[in-house]
Amino acid sequence: MTGIRQLADYLDISIGTVSRALNGKADVNAETRRRVLEAAEKLGYVPNQSGRSLRKGSTGVVGFMMQTGPEINSQGDAFFMSVFDGVQTVLSRHKLDLVALLCSSNEDPYAYLQRTVARGFADAIILSATRRNDARFELLHRHNIPFISLGRSLTDVGQPWIDLDFEGMAEIAIERLVKAGHRDIGIIWPHGDLNLGYVFADRCREVLAEHGLTLREDHIFRAKPSEAGGYAVAHEIASRSPRPSAIVLVNEILVTGLYKGFEDAGVKPGKDIAIIGRYSPQAQYLSPALTCFTLSLRDLGISLAEHLLSVIPDYQSHYVGQTPRVIWPMTLIEGTSG
Amino acid sequence: MTGIRQLADYLDISIGTVSRALNGKADVNAETRRRVLEAAEKLGYVPNQSGRSLRKGSTGVVGFMMQTGPEINSQGDAFFMSVFDGVQTVLSRHKLDLVALLCSSNEDPYAYLQRTVARGFADAIILSATRRNDARFELLHRHNIPFISLGRSLTDVGQPWIDLDFEGMAEIAIERLVKAGHRDIGIIWPHGDLNLGYVFADRCREVLAEHGLTLREDHIFRAKPSEAGGYAVAHEIASRSPRPSAIVLVNEILVTGLYKGFEDAGVKPGKDIAIIGRYSPQAQYLSPALTCFTLSLRDLGISLAEHLLSVIPDYQSHYVGQTPRVIWPMTLIEGTSG
């Protein structure tokens, strides 16, 4: 087992310096800290757990709160598995573990989090499924539990957040469709009261307005976040009069159903109706391949963890200079659907 | 807040009886226990947490161990979200919480579990991604931690397990294909060293043998558990000489890629090659609709939790008469792919 002494021998620096670097003291220069952390990872350094657990309230665990249920989170779950992988990459540098705090869809997320906090389960928390107004932020803030939210909210207690660039997605998608001659563009509203729906729809409206176009209220469609929901909404869109000539959607877990629904309704995707959506593992294997927005979920996870650690006293000196709020860009993959 | 007194008043039985029912004492009859638990759920009964936490080692938490990583678990993750929902339905009756213990693909599952055990993180554990030989069983057994495995293994410490009926799937799929005239049937091997691969392939061989047919070694194909893996293996199958006329696969997260791969290779699914697989949210929206095996994941989760609780002293009296090992049946959905 590699301890501090072995690390110091390997790097040929003093045990004191290694210790200060590992513990994030400010008097170690950045290059030395980087070398120590790299060596610690390479050699499989194991901190003295008994010493560590003496720190008051330290569990060594970071919780990622997410919702389960028959109607799963609008971001899908392949999404989360990849994000988790990135989060763990960072946490493992510090011998911290990640657990997923699974809030059932039957339970109020606030009550669930309250119980989790009372149990002293995790040192820090990552919140997902951010609501337009989100009382969980205030709860964690009151209890002095470091956290980061994946997603913005109107609620703001000064915590870091990272959100996907739904505004940028709206801009690029609408501009692309307008340029291709579309004048009547509809959107599928994301599930429920998630904040991203408002952000996305507002920006679509603004960009359309710049071209003298409007987002008709009856061209904002609602779908359940499932393939069955996609199938159903396709029929609804196909029968709407007037019918939009293009659709933009942010939910990636209903596209196979959407395609099939359009086909069964005699509306050919990519030909009779343009579609722009979000990347999913299926996107490029659909016919026509989906024009969609993508991002590295693993990198997003890494960034979430680094931003979270930047607000935890024990670790923050490793992660100085983090921008507290990040709009995470997405990249367009050109398919043939729109 | 509903306590024991409110429950007793509501049911018009003594506080002592309610308490004994809630605590699973044997001297309460089954019908009374059922009424008490139902009322407790209906009225939102909250046990006296301070009393409960006095029980030695009780965390109120059940852990579900799963693996994350860029190559996610072969069972996909939409799978897990639905299973979790069922598990939580049962745990919430007893005010127990479920957390997902996320073992990174970079880490040895045994070492990960060892650390989790050392932290005293959970009262009981559900294991997934069961290996052909699985040392995690022995670890939990040594530490007297109640657990259940989703999946069989050659390792057996007498714990309960539930496994999907991959043998039944093999039988029904092979019989169906043979009846349709197929003589040269191939399979796609599940990812890695998961036990289910051996169970499934062995039964396919046996059923084929009953018809005087064989499973050719060069008709056992290997694919990465992803749509890209499905796309790649389709090309491999299409160019194999002789080419099997039918394919059976247990992995549900590569079918869209598989279809597209066959199409791009000029082999039409359902026409030039028969395909039988596992249900996924996309299955019925593919063209042709996938003939596939399905199960209620929520019910599976409920059963996992009930079997687990049946081996935990505090709860087992509520769950007497559970069969310790269950082969979970799957149902065939007839599509047009095979």
Side-chain angles (χ1 to χ4, degrees):
Chain A
M1 190 178 294
T2 305
I4 275 200
R5 178 174 300 280
Q6 286 73 30
L7 271 185
D9 286 350
Y10 174 81
L11 292 162
D12 200 19
I13 54 182
S14 77
I15 289 182
T17 302
V18 172
S19 169
R20 286 198 302 282
L22 289 170
N23 290 302
K25 303 290 184 197
D27 58 352
V28 181
N29 75 48
E31 172 58 17
T32 304
R33 176 172 303 125
R34 193 190 56 73
R35 281 183 60 218
V36 171
L37 288 180
E38 272 185 19
E41 193 159 341
K42 187 174 165 194
L43 304 184
Y45 163 72
V46 177
N48 183 331
Q49 286 292 342
S50 61
R52 174 165 291 255
S53 65
L54 286 177
R55 281 190 210 154
K56 194 172 165 305
S58 174
T59 62
V61 168
V62 170
F64 194 120
M65 180 173 166
M66 56 190 296
Q67 283 175 268
T68 65
E71 282 200 7
I72 53 168
N73 194 291
S74 71
Q75 285 169 313
D77 16 39
F79 183 94
F80 283 107
M81 289 301 134
S82 306
V83 171
F84 288 162
D85 191 53
V87 172
Q88 283 175 314
T89 302
V90 175
L91 296 187
S92 68
R93 292 177 202 156
H94 306 284
K95 307 290 166 194
L96 292 168
D97 276 321
L98 180 67
V99 303
L101 304 170
L102 304 165
C103 175
S104 159
S105 55
N106 301 320
E107 189 168 5
D108 172 43
Y110 185 86
Y112 174 87
L113 188 60
Q114 218 169 10
R115 195 166 64 242
T116 304
V117 167
R119 280 188 169 140
F121 209 75
D123 293 343
I125 287 179
I126 301 171
L127 295 178
S128 65
T130 309
R131 303 294 169 95
R132 184 73 166 160
N133 293 287
D134 207 317
R136 297 177 302 171
F137 291 17
E138 285 144 1
L139 174 69
L140 293 174
H141 185 63
R142 274 200 306 281
H143 285 85
N144 273 319
I145 295 173
F147 76 103
I148 183 168
S149 59
L150 176 53
R152 280 161 279 182
S153 167
L154 294 182
T155 310
D156 188 350
V157 297
Q159 92 289 352
W161 53 252
I162 299 181
D163 203 354
L164 306 190
D165 187 10
F166 294 107
E167 286 155 319
M169 177 182 165
E171 286 162 27
I172 295 168
I174 299 290
E175 291 289 357
R176 179 179 170 92
L177 291 169
V178 169
K179 204 168 172 181
H182 294 279
R183 291 292 168 268
D184 208 344
I185 299 168
I187 66 169
I188 300 177
W189 184 267
H191 183 56
D193 191 46
L194 297 180
N195 192 54
L196 68 93
Y198 300 90
V199 170
F200 176 72
D202 286 351
R203 193 67 192 123
C204 284
R205 270 194 203 91
E206 289 168 11
V207 179
L208 285 168
E210 289 166 15
H211 293 280
L213 302 171
T214 53
L215 177 60
R216 295 168 58 116
E217 280 306 309
D218 65 343
H219 284 176
I220 301 176
F221 298 89
R222 308 224 164 216
K224 287 194 176 162
S226 65
E227 298 293 5
Y231 187 81
V233 80
H235 280 85
E236 202 185 323
I237 296 169
S239 62
R240 185 63 40 97
S241 177
R243 194 176 78 202
S245 65
I247 282 285
V248 187
L249 73 162
V250 298
N251 193 323
E252 70 270 52
I253 62 171
L254 48 74
V255 179
T256 306
L258 187 78
Y259 266 55
K260 179 73 173 164
F262 277 135
E263 264 158 29
D264 288 358
V267 175
K268 200 151 172 45
K271 204 171 161 196
D272 302 325
I273 191 158
I275 305 173
I276 298 183
R278 286 269 301 286
Y279 173 83
S280 74
Q282 288 81 38
Q284 65 181 296
Y285 300 108
L286 295 169
S287 298
L290 183 69
T291 294
C292 60
F293 288 83
T294 191
L295 69 154
S296 163
L297 296 172
R298 188 166 182 278
D299 288 348
L300 175 64
I302 288 173
S303 190
L304 274 170
E306 291 187 341
H307 281 83
L308 177 62
L309 294 180
S310 79
V311 294
I312 304 179
D314 280 355
Y315 306 102
Q316 60 192 180
S317 61
H318 298 284
Y319 300 98
V320 289
Q322 298 280 343
T323 315
R325 278 98 191 270
V326 179
I327 301 281
W328 194 272
M330 293 191 274
T331 310
L332 184 78
I333 302 178
E334 300 212 354
T336 45
S337 69
Chain B
M1 191 180 292
T2 305
I4 274 200
R5 178 174 299 280
Q6 285 73 30
L7 271 185
D9 286 349
Y10 174 81
L11 292 163
D12 199 21
I13 55 180
S14 76
I15 290 183
T17 302
V18 172
S19 168
R20 286 200 302 282
L22 290 170
N23 290 301
K25 303 290 184 195
D27 58 353
V28 181
N29 75 49
E31 172 58 17
T32 304
R33 177 173 300 125
R34 192 189 56 72
R35 282 183 60 221
V36 171
L37 288 181
E38 273 185 17
E41 193 161 343
K42 188 175 164 194
L43 303 184
Y45 163 72
V46 177
N48 183 328
Q49 286 293 342
S50 59
R52 174 165 291 257
S53 65
L54 286 176
R55 282 191 209 154
K56 195 174 165 302
S58 174
T59 61
V61 168
V62 170
F64 194 120
M65 181 173 166
M66 55 190 296
Q67 282 176 269
T68 66
E71 281 200 8
I72 53 167
N73 194 291
S74 70
Q75 285 168 315
D77 17 37
F79 183 94
F80 283 108
M81 290 300 134
S82 306
V83 171
F84 288 162
D85 192 53
V87 172
Q88 283 174 314
T89 302
V90 175
L91 296 186
S92 67
R93 294 176 200 156
H94 306 283
K95 306 290 166 193
L96 292 168
D97 277 321
L98 179 68
V99 302
L101 304 170
L102 305 164
C103 175
S104 160
S105 54
N106 301 319
E107 188 169 5
D108 172 41
Y110 185 86
Y112 174 87
L113 188 60
Q114 219 169 10
R115 195 167 65 242
T116 303
V117 167
R119 281 189 169 138
F121 209 74
D123 292 345
I125 286 179
I126 301 171
L127 295 178
S128 66
T130 309
R131 304 292 171 97
R132 184 75 167 159
N133 293 288
D134 206 317
R136 297 176 303 170
F137 290 16
E138 286 144 0
L139 173 68
L140 293 174
H141 186 63
R142 273 200 308 280
H143 285 85
N144 273 319
I145 295 173
F147 75 103
I148 184 169
S149 58
L150 176 53
R152 279 161 279 183
S153 167
L154 294 181
T155 310
D156 188 350
V157 298
Q159 92 290 351
W161 53 252
I162 299 181
D163 204 353
L164 304 191
D165 187 11
F166 293 108
E167 285 156 319
M169 177 182 165
E171 285 162 27
I172 296 168
I174 298 291
E175 290 290 356
R176 180 180 170 91
L177 291 169
V178 169
K179 204 168 172 181
H182 294 280
R183 293 290 168 269
D184 209 343
I185 299 168
I187 66 170
I188 300 176
W189 185 267
H191 183 55
D193 190 47
L194 296 180
N195 191 56
L196 68 94
Y198 299 91
V199 170
F200 177 72
D202 286 350
R203 194 66 192 124
C204 284
R205 269 193 204 92
E206 289 168 11
V207 179
L208 285 167
E210 287 165 16
H211 293 280
L213 302 171
T214 53
L215 177 60
R216 295 169 57 116
E217 280 306 309
D218 65 344
H219 284 175
I220 301 175
F221 297 89
R222 306 219 164 221
K224 287 193 178 165
S226 65
E227 299 293 4
Y231 187 82
V233 81
H235 280 86
E236 202 185 323
I237 296 169
S239 62
R240 185 62 41 97
S241 178
R243 193 175 79 204
S245 66
I247 281 286
V248 187
L249 74 160
V250 299
N251 193 322
E252 70 270 50
I253 62 171
L254 48 74
V255 179
T256 307
L258 187 78
Y259 266 54
K260 179 73 172 164
F262 277 134
E263 263 155 29
D264 288 359
V267 175
K268 199 148 175 46
K271 205 173 159 192
D272 304 324
I273 192 158
I275 305 173
I276 298 183
R278 286 269 300 287
Y279 173 83
S280 74
Q282 287 81 37
Q284 65 182 296
Y285 300 108
L286 295 168
S287 297
L290 183 68
T291 294
C292 60
F293 288 83
T294 189
L295 68 153
S296 163
L297 296 173
R298 188 165 182 278
D299 288 348
L300 175 64
I302 288 172
S303 190
L304 274 171
E306 291 188 341
H307 281 84
L308 177 61
L309 294 180
S310 79
V311 295
I312 305 180
D314 280 355
Y315 306 101
Q316 61 192 180
S317 62
H318 299 283
Y319 300 98
V320 290
Q322 298 280 345
T323 315
R325 279 98 192 270
V326 179
I327 302 281
W328 194 273
M330 293 191 273
T331 310
L332 184 77
I333 302 179
E334 299 212 355
T336 45
S337 69

